[in-house]
Amino acid sequence: QVQLVESGGGLVQAGGSLSLSCAASGRTFSTYAMAWFRQAPGKEREFVATINGSGVTTYYADSVKGRFTISRDNAKNTVYLRMNSLKPEDTAVYYCAARKGAYRTAGASYDYWGQGTQVTVFS
């Protein structure tokens, strides 16, 4: 069982930056692929970024590529999402998720989810 706790959300002006963290419980964190998803009001949850267990391989949604960076520190059981050049359309609740093995972009492939953290970008 893996428990995930996100932090770092908040209110930021368009063009600004924000960093999210997701702390995981357990002793086998490096065997889990991690991902960030987001859900805006009235919209379906969407994939944002994912990273493999070693942290070597990452993959991004086109909408955030070049602006967001996912990373992880396996010694701290933590995955991060650095968000630069934020836009109002990035406003959403951001969730981190974990799955054993290879990374995926489909939310249904992930077994463990955090409670979410709100990111609001105003213009």
Side-chain angles (χ1 to χ4, degrees), residues 18 28 44 81 102 114:
L18 209 57
T28 59
E44 293 188 355
L81 186 69

Short mmCIF file of all heavy atoms in Angstrom, two decimals, residues 18 28 44 81 102 114:
data_model
loop_
_atom_site.label_atom_id
_atom_site.label_comp_id
_atom_site.label_asym_id
_atom_site.label_seq_id
_atom_site.Cartn_x
_atom_site.Cartn_y
_atom_site.Cartn_z
N LEU A 18 5.33 27.75 -9.93
CA LEU A 18 4.89 27.07 -8.72
C LEU A 18 5.50 25.68 -8.73
O LEU A 18 5.69 25.09 -9.80
CB LEU A 18 3.37 26.98 -8.72
CG LEU A 18 2.61 26.94 -7.39
CD1 LEU A 18 2.92 28.15 -6.53
CD2 LEU A 18 1.11 26.87 -7.66
N THR A 28 9.63 0.99 -1.02
CA THR A 28 9.99 0.58 -2.37
C THR A 28 9.61 1.64 -3.39
O THR A 28 9.18 1.33 -4.50
CB THR A 28 9.29 -0.75 -2.71
OG1 THR A 28 7.86 -0.56 -2.60
CG2 THR A 28 9.73 -1.87 -1.80
N GLU A 44 -12.79 16.63 -17.51
CA GLU A 44 -12.28 15.32 -17.11
C GLU A 44 -10.83 15.44 -16.63
O GLU A 44 -10.11 16.35 -17.03
CB GLU A 44 -12.38 14.34 -18.27
CG GLU A 44 -13.81 13.99 -18.65
CD GLU A 44 -13.88 12.87 -19.66
OE1 GLU A 44 -12.81 12.42 -20.13
OE2 GLU A 44 -15.00 12.44 -19.98
N LEU A 81 6.79 18.50 -9.21
CA LEU A 81 6.36 19.08 -10.48
C LEU A 81 6.66 20.57 -10.43
O LEU A 81 6.04 21.31 -9.67
CB LEU A 81 4.87 18.85 -10.74
CG LEU A 81 4.38 19.30 -12.12
CD1 LEU A 81 4.98 18.39 -13.20
CD2 LEU A 81 2.86 19.29 -12.20
N ALA A 102 6.33 0.12 -15.13
CA ALA A 102 6.56 1.14 -16.16
C ALA A 102 5.54 2.26 -16.07
O ALA A 102 4.42 2.08 -15.59
CB ALA A 102 6.52 0.50 -17.53
N GLY A 114 -3.10 10.63 -4.61
CA GLY A 114 -3.14 11.58 -3.51
C GLY A 114 -4.48 12.28 -3.45
O GLY A 114 -5.37 12.03 -4.28
#
